[in-house]
Structure formats: C-alpha cells, structure tokens
Amino acid sequence: MLTVPDKVTIQLTDSDGQPARLDKVLVGIKTFATHKNDIYLSPFLSDKDGRIEITKKDIQDTTDNFISYGIMDYSSLESANPNVEIYLWAAEELDRYIAYWSKLLKSKESKDYENDPLFRTINGQQRETLFQQFRDIA
C-alpha cells in the first residue's frame, strides 16, 4: 500500500553531487498498480535552484486530474505498490507535450480543443489548471 508523504523534495545535482541550478526541468512520478493500471503523475517543474517541491495536495490534484481523463480504469493511488519511480522527461516527450499544448492553446479561443478526447471528460477548472501548467513550462 502506497503512503503519500506530506511533502517530497527533489534536488537536481550534477555528477559531483552538487546542486544543479536548472530551471524548468520536468519530472514525473510513476506509481505501480497492484491491479488495474499504473498512474503517471506529472509534470512537476524545478525552480531556478534545481529544486522540486511536491506537496501531498499536488500529488492528489494531479492524481485526480489523471484519473478524470477516463482513458483507462484506475484504482486509488493508495492501493498502488509502495515503490514509485521518479523520472525525467526526455526531449521527445517534451517536444510532443509542447506541440500538443501549443495546438490546444491556439484553438482555445475557437473552442476547437473541446473536440479533444481529454477535454470531453474534465471540468472547466481542471482544464484551466492544465492550461496554466503548460504556460508555466513554456
């Protein structure tokens, strides 16, 4: 059973173990389901000092958003295995993410984004949260 901590702090470091001052590095957290499907939580961004602070609320909000997409069937986050994987987004993932969200932002005024399967299942606040996350990254 997965216990979600009150806060997770990640410090990016260089090869010597010294803090790396890397702004806007994206990381994700992969949970491993005991049944049904794994849950991927992201994006979490580093600040100018290379630190990423993730609160329990951030994790829960991200989980709620992910599950609300309704793409697959998921169990609760707490039912996942206690081990998680923290991963960096690769350049290819970032390129796909930026292209996808850039297209959605351009279509936002015309409401074309409403034809996207992701946006059919989420409410207005969730949609705005996702748009804001993208603006923060770009």
Side-chain angles (χ1 to χ4, degrees):
M1 178 167 242
L2 178 66
T3 301
V4 179
D6 290 333
K7 183 166 75 169
V8 175
T9 302
I10 300 168
Q11 175 64 61
L12 303 175
T13 60
D14 62 21
S15 59
D16 294 326
Q18 298 301 311
R21 296 183 186 278
L22 297 169
D23 191 24
K24 294 187 178 180
V25 173
L26 273 77
V27 300
I29 301 171
K30 177 183 177 183
T31 67
F32 298 94
T34 54
H35 63 285
K36 299 193 180 182
N37 295 289
D38 297 338
I39 297 175
Y40 291 82
L41 307 173
S42 68
F44 299 107
L45 286 166
S46 66
D47 63 17
K48 63 182 175 44
D49 294 321
R51 289 176 58 91
I52 304 164
E53 302 254 340
I54 307 168
T55 66
K56 188 173 195 169
K57 182 179 179 341
D58 294 334
I59 291 170
Q60 192 57 57
D61 289 349
T62 305
T63 301
D64 292 346
N65 278 338
F66 185 84
I67 290 173
S68 74
Y69 301 159
I71 297 170
M72 299 172 91
D73 195 17
Y74 301 98
S75 293
S76 70
L77 185 63
E78 293 78 16
S79 70
N81 287 308
N83 297 323
V84 299
E85 176 182 289
I86 296 176
Y87 61 91
L88 291 174
W89 281 40
E92 183 178 296
E93 291 171 305
L94 285 170
D95 289 345
R96 263 197 324 268
Y97 183 82
I98 290 169
Y100 175 82
W101 283 97
S102 293
K103 179 181 173 188
L104 285 177
L105 282 173
K106 287 178 186 171
S107 70
K108 187 176 180 193
E109 293 303 315
S110 65
K111 303 259 186 205
D112 287 344
Y113 67 86
E114 292 175 347
N115 294 323
D116 188 287
L118 167 67
F119 287 97
R120 285 189 215 142
T121 60
I122 62 176
N123 66 39
Q125 181 58 46
Q126 290 170 312
R127 188 170 32 252
E128 278 309 309
T129 298
L130 291 172
F131 279 124
Q132 187 56 49
Q133 286 174 335
F134 175 73
R135 286 185 202 101
D136 291 346
I137 292 167

